[in-house]
Amino acid sequence: MASRTRRPGAAPAVPDGSRRRRLPMRLLLPLLVLGALMAMLMLRGYVHSEILADHRIQAEASTDKVPEKILDGGPVIDTRSGRATSLQMPDRRIVLTFDDGPDPTWTPKVLDVLKKHHAHAVFFVTGTMTSRYPDLVQRMVDEGHEVGLHTFNHPDLSFQSKKRIDWELSQNQLALAGAAGIRTSLFRPPYSSFADAMDNRSWPVTEYIGSRGYVTVVNNTDSEDWQKPGVRQILRNATPKSGKGAIVLMHDSGGDRHQTVQALDRFLPDMQGRGYAFDNLTEALDAPSALTPVAGPELWKGKAWVFLVQASEHITDVLVAGLAVIGSLVIGRFLLMLLLSGIHARRVRRKDFRWGEPVTQPVSVLVPAYNEAKCIENTVRSLMASEQPIEIIVIDDGSSDGTARLVEAMGLPNVRVVRQLNAGKPAALNRGLANARHDIIVMMDGDTVFEPATVRELVQPFGDSRVGAVAGNAKVGNRDSLIGAWQHIEYVMGFNLDRRMYDILRCMPTIPGAVGAFRRSALERVGGMSDDTLAEDTDITMAMHRDGWRVVYAEKARAWTEAPESVQQLWSQRYRWSYGTMQAIWKHRRALVERGPSGRFGRVGLPLVSLFMVVAPLLAPLIDVFLLYGVVFGPTERTIVAWLGVLAIQVVCAAYAFRLDRERMTHLISLPLQQILYRQLMYVVLLQSWITALTGGRLRWQKLRRTGVVEAPGGPVPRQRSGSESDERRPVG
């Protein structure tokens, strides 16, 4: 329990008397971030032809509806006036055309060769590549080349509706406007060939394209460079016959084009030496330029489009880098957990292992309680069965449900009730510490029950004088529900396996509030429990490390706690934990630059805690985002195999953790579902905690509703073992 504040006043009423409900900023911002992220991924998928792409290719059809003059004509087809005409290239005039670019690797090399030999060409670009590499299109225009449309997503237009054709053209023009501030009247259909290959399916498309103001440009000389036949063969294929003019088809994208570049560097000077000129299309035809500048809204729409595409590319690059980071962190954490937890288990389970002299002296058990009427009797009865001599101090923190009266009515020996006005859990624990009679202090929650051996096992590490605090083994008592089973897996795998690892690394981040023990002198040296954060257990643990004390894990000190049974309660609890952990890390940040034990924890413990408890969980959703993206848009099989691989690693770790804790493996049946549903909730909680921290929000404590379903083990309450009552202290208040 952290400091509790009164509920703020009711929301203002609207005129009809109903309350106006506003979505809190801490919920709105995660939704906006998620929406923006998904929009960027969808945009990236669109410009990478992963979404709305159509890769079908039409089979050959009859040609009886295509005019003979087109079939027998030249490679430039003009249907803009409603009449079909075609043009041939003048003799010794070659128009080099490059399809499917621009490509960041090969287009610059092609441009360099063209510039070297003072030649011009026509680049038929796709909208997807233009949007991604606008600088290359600008360079084409600046160096005197012409640019034509090759659709946006490169579909076979004979399959498409007129609406889709218009979309392909307009989106391609939009990309050109954003990249170079131009529009073009040249068009080349995807999968096109010579004019005599026009058929009854492609000809209507050509006619429609002409009605939209475009000249269709096919080719009459195919270098077949896409087949990579070798430089010599490309040269033979590209050379016109008998001094004729030609429109030569080449590619500057779509794969490895080094043969194209090498062939081009030989082809240009060789053909120029034979008297050929290399012009763009309108130069060769002595016609007005096909490129016209755009301005006004059209220009700004294009620039906005290119900006968004570039943003999606950069964001995706960051996400991919983040995915690599989280992948490394997850695998590294799992490997560390498997290795170090095994070392920890072997060390503490050796027959000759001892912390030191057995600890047999009486112990003070502090039970802070706020409205725990449903649980407190089970808690106290479980303590009365303890094998270790103890005194029990229940600190009633201003409960309104009669918690204190229930404890007093039990009339049990060595059980005292201390009342205080509601001041929060840290204040209640400090009040209990002031009333405690003994030098070892055990702290637990009011909804937790101990086994008879729990306190004894918890305090044995104090036989080592270097140990200042001990973390127990917290377990979920109400694990029969699905959400309880998920938390059970999380406690065994995510918390207790972690604690074994951190024990070996000597940087345990948190002593659980449900079951922890402290050396009284260590608590007093660090100033007791603090209310500076909402995670007082993490705060005090870090303070112990910085003061030079060892913090260890006692696996046999089992405590059974009641986990939240609804999503809302779980959200409230984990939100407070996440935000409190961030507060504690920030509070102890100076340990990074200090010397001695504090510096060791700061340079070892804080980075590990930050990576594994804050950064990794924050980036972990990328695994699921890319899983969803890959399943929907491909490659589906590889994506599913990769996700199953990650799941297999988690299953191995979980099974190992359950084996170490001697838990039944049957609960792991729900692990895959936990990874799909439960983790998503934890992601949003952590993201909300980040946003609360970054926006300066203040999180208030929320009391979880308890049911008291976790029973005390051991049946009837036995008489407590007597013990020394030395070091008596008068109760305070």
Side-chain angles (χ1 to χ4, degrees), residues 569-687:
Q569 292 180 37
L570 180 64
W571 181 292
S572 299
Q573 182 193 68
R574 299 311 168 85
Y575 186 21
R576 179 170 57 87
W577 286 4
S578 298
Y579 189 53
T581 299
M582 294 179 190
Q583 288 178 309
I585 292 172
W586 181 253
K587 175 181 176 179
H588 295 281
R589 65 190 183 279
R590 286 189 59 82
L592 290 167
V593 296
E594 292 176 342
R595 296 182 177 180
S598 180
R600 182 193 180 280
F601 175 74
R603 289 181 285 277
V604 177
L606 280 184
L608 284 176
V609 173
S610 299
L611 282 175
F612 292 155
M613 298 182 68
V614 179
V615 176
L618 185 67
L619 295 178
L622 293 177
I623 297 175
D624 300 287
V625 168
F626 279 99
L627 167 67
L628 180 62
Y629 187 90
V631 167
V632 176
F633 303 114
T636 303
E637 292 182 1
R638 286 166 50 192
T639 301
I640 293 176
V641 169
W643 185 80
L644 290 176
V646 174
L647 179 62
I649 295 174
Q650 292 174 316
V651 169
V652 169
C653 284
Y656 184 64
F658 271 58
R659 181 174 177 272
L660 286 181
D661 264 23
R662 298 183 173 89
E663 291 284 351
R664 289 185 304 165
M665 298 290 179
T666 53
H667 287 98
L668 292 179
I669 294 174
S670 63
L671 179 62
L673 195 59
Q674 184 210 42
Q675 297 301 303
I676 295 173
L677 298 178
Y678 182 79
R679 280 199 313 159
Q680 319 312 316
L681 176 64
M682 296 300 101
Y683 295 158
V684 179
V685 167
L686 186 63
L687 180 59

Side-chain angles (χ1 to χ4, degrees), residues 483-500:
I483 195 170
W486 288 345
Q487 292 175 85
H488 173 50
I489 295 173
E490 180 184 31
Y491 270 63
V492 175
M493 178 183 173
F495 296 162
N496 292 334
L497 204 60
D498 266 354
R499 289 191 179 102
R500 296 178 192 272

